[in-house]
Amino acid sequence: MPLALLVVIVTPLAPLVERWLGAGRTVAAGLVLVAGGMALAATLEAGTGGGGCCPPCAPSGWVRR
């Protein structure tokens, strides 16, 4: 999924999530997503193709088209 489409989907939900969880928990959840992406990226090997690189990068917003 292109990053711009993901931003269009998630942006209207952010204030609702912030009201429901609070600012601190919302930021913490975002940091957990980034840490999870980095942990997945650490498992990549030199021969991993482009398709294997997308899932670890997606939570962090590193995927660009």
Side-chain angles (χ1 to χ4, degrees), residues 1 4-15 17:
M1 176 179 301
L5 182 58
L6 187 61
V7 168
V8 168
I9 293 169
V10 173
T11 300
L13 300 176
V17 172

Side-chain angles (χ1 to χ4, degrees), residues 2-63:
L3 183 60
L5 182 58
L6 187 61
V7 168
V8 168
I9 293 169
V10 173
T11 300
L13 300 176
L16 301 174
V17 172
E18 189 273 329
R19 276 189 227 127
W20 183 51
L21 294 176
R25 289 186 182 145
T26 303
V27 170
L31 291 174
V32 167
L33 283 174
V34 171
M38 288 182 173
L40 285 174
T43 65
L44 297 176
E45 297 178 3
T48 304
C53 294
C54 287
C57 297
S60 304
W62 297 339
V63 178

